[in-house]
Amino acid sequence: MSLILKGQPVVQKIKNKIKEDVYELKQKGLKPTLGIIRMGERPDDIAYEKGILKNCISVGIGSKVFEIDRKASMNELTKLITRVNEDINIHGILIFRPLPDHIDVEIIRTLISPQKDIDCMNPINLEKVFKGDMDGLVPCTPKAVIEILKHYDYSLLGSNVAVINSSLVVGRPLSMMLLGEKATPTICHSKTRELQKITSSSDIVVTAVGKAKLFGAEYFSEKNIVIDVGINDDGEGSICGDVDYYKVENKVKAITPVPGGVGSVTTAILLSHVIKSCKNLHNE
Ligand code: NAP
C-alpha cells in the first residue's frame, strides 16, 4: 500500500505560519494585501477568484479585485498594472491567465513590479531561479512540489527526479529548484525516448502533462515517490491527475492525490508570497 501524500497537512503548516506573520505585521500597522487583476468574467477565473478570496480571508490577508473588460486594449491593461504597481496598499499582484489573444503576454510579464510578482511572471524573477537564487518570488507550483517532498521527509539530496514537463511554469523552474536542492533532475517531454525506463528507475517522478490518467502502472516501480501536478477533466464531471491513480496507488512507495495534492499547496504558497512581498516592501 502506497503512502498518500495529502496536501492538507502541508497547507495547514504554511497557513499557520502565514497567520503568525499576519499577526506580527498587523502589530506594525501593516495589512498584507493581494491585488487580483482579472480581464472579464470567464467562469474559470471567477471560480478561481472565489477560492483565492476565501483563502485570503481564512489567513487574514486582505484582497482587492481590479476588473477590466476582456476587450480592453493593451494600453488600458498597461495603465491598470501601473496603477496597481504604484498602489502602496497592494503588496502582491496576481494577473489571471490566459489573457485574451490581443494582449501580448510577453510584454505584460515585464510590466508587473518584480517586488509584487507573487506568481513569478516577470522574467527578472524567473532569471533569478535559473541563476540558482531561490530567495525571491519563485514559481508557486514548483515550490509546492518541493514543499510536499520536504514535509513528508523525502530527501532530495542526490535523488534522481524525473520531471515530465518542460514548460516555463512547471518543469523548467522545478528542475532548477531541484538542482538547488542537489537533486539530479531529468527533464522529460513528449519526445522523450524510453520514458518508462526513466520513470521507473527514478526515486521521484513529477508528472505535469495535462492528460487525464495517461500514466498507468507500467510507468512506475516500488521505489517511486510520485507527485502528480496534472489537473484534468476525467470526462465524468470530476478532476483527476495525469496518473491513473487507482492502478498505481498500490504499486509505488508514495503518491499525491488529485484533487487534494499539489493544487491546494500551490494556492497556499501563493498566499505566503503576499507576506514575503509585504515584508520586503516594508523592509521587515
Ligand atoms: P504545457 O505547457 O502544455 O506542458 C505540458 C508538458 O507535458 C510539455 O512539456 C509536453 O511536452 C509534456 N507532454 C505532453 N504529452 C506528453 C506525453 N505523452 N509524454 C511525455 N510528456 C508529455 O502544460 P503546463 O501549463 O505546464 O501544465 C501541465 C499540467 O499541469 C496541466 O494539467 C495543468 O493543469 C497542470 N498544472 C497544475 C498546477 C497546480 O498547481 N497543480 C499548476 C500549473 C499547471 P512537449 O514540450 O514536448 O510538448
Side-chain angles (χ1 to χ4, degrees), residues 9 27 43 50 52 61 95 102 112 140 158 175 180 202 204 216 229 252 257 272 278 281:
Q27 302 300 104
K50 218 171 143 188
I52 292 194
I61 288 179
I95 303 180
H102 67 279
I112 182 165
C140 298
S175 300
S202 295
I204 299 165
V229 176
V252 296
S272 74
C278 181
L281 286 164

Side-chain angles (χ1 to χ4, degrees), residues 62-257:
S63 55
K64 189 168 175 186
V65 178
F66 298 86
E67 188 184 345
I68 186 170
D69 197 278
R70 196 136 183 100
K71 289 187 184 137
S73 66
M74 198 55 198
N75 192 26
E76 285 166 313
L77 182 60
T78 301
K79 275 188 186 150
L80 177 61
I81 294 171
T82 307
R83 177 154 72 86
V84 186
N85 278 344
E86 288 168 359
D87 187 335
I88 55 165
N89 295 313
I90 301 292
H91 306 100
I93 300 176
L94 177 61
I95 303 180
F96 281 171
R97 288 173 281 172
L99 290 165
D101 289 345
H102 67 279
I103 298 294
D104 187 336
V105 186
E106 293 315 310
I107 293 177
I108 294 301
R109 283 179 193 285
T110 62
L111 298 178
I112 182 165
S113 158
Q115 286 176 296
K116 297 187 177 186
D117 180 26
I118 57 166
D119 203 18
C120 199
M121 275 185 84
N122 193 311
I124 291 174
N125 285 327
L126 207 50
E127 188 188 349
K128 277 190 191 166
V129 175
F130 279 77
K131 281 181 171 168
D133 175 358
M134 307 302 164
D135 290 334
L137 294 165
V138 302
C140 298
T141 302
K143 174 92 174 149
V145 171
I146 305 251
E147 286 301 311
I148 291 171
L149 289 165
K150 286 187 175 174
H151 175 86
Y152 286 101
D153 279 336
Y154 292 115
S155 171
L156 286 163
L157 188 83
S159 292
N160 293 315
V161 187
V163 178
I164 318 178
N165 179 297
S166 62
S167 77
L168 263 184
V169 183
V170 186
R172 290 176 199 231
L174 173 60
S175 300
M176 293 305 112
M177 290 163 81
L178 288 166
L179 270 183
E181 298 287 340
K182 288 284 173 209
T184 306
T186 302
I187 307 179
C188 308
H189 47 77
S190 64
K191 303 291 182 285
T192 298
R193 287 197 198 115
E194 299 191 289
L195 184 57
Q196 289 185 24
K197 218 185 213 177
I198 298 171
T199 52
S200 57
S201 62
S202 295
D203 301 301
I204 299 165
V205 181
V206 182
T207 64
V209 301
K211 293 182 181 165
K213 303 179 189 175
L214 179 70
F215 300 114
E218 68 278 14
Y219 282 86
F220 301 102
S221 69
E222 292 69 24
K223 70 180 282 196
N224 292 149
I225 295 150
V226 182
I227 309 290
D228 191 347
V229 176
I231 302 175
N232 312 298
D233 186 338
D234 72 351
E236 291 167 11
S238 301
I239 65 163
C240 69
D242 296 335
V243 177
D244 197 343
Y245 186 84
Y246 293 108
K247 294 204 176 122
V248 172
E249 66 168 342
N250 288 319
K251 184 165 185 186
V252 296
K253 195 191 266 185
I255 184 167
T256 55

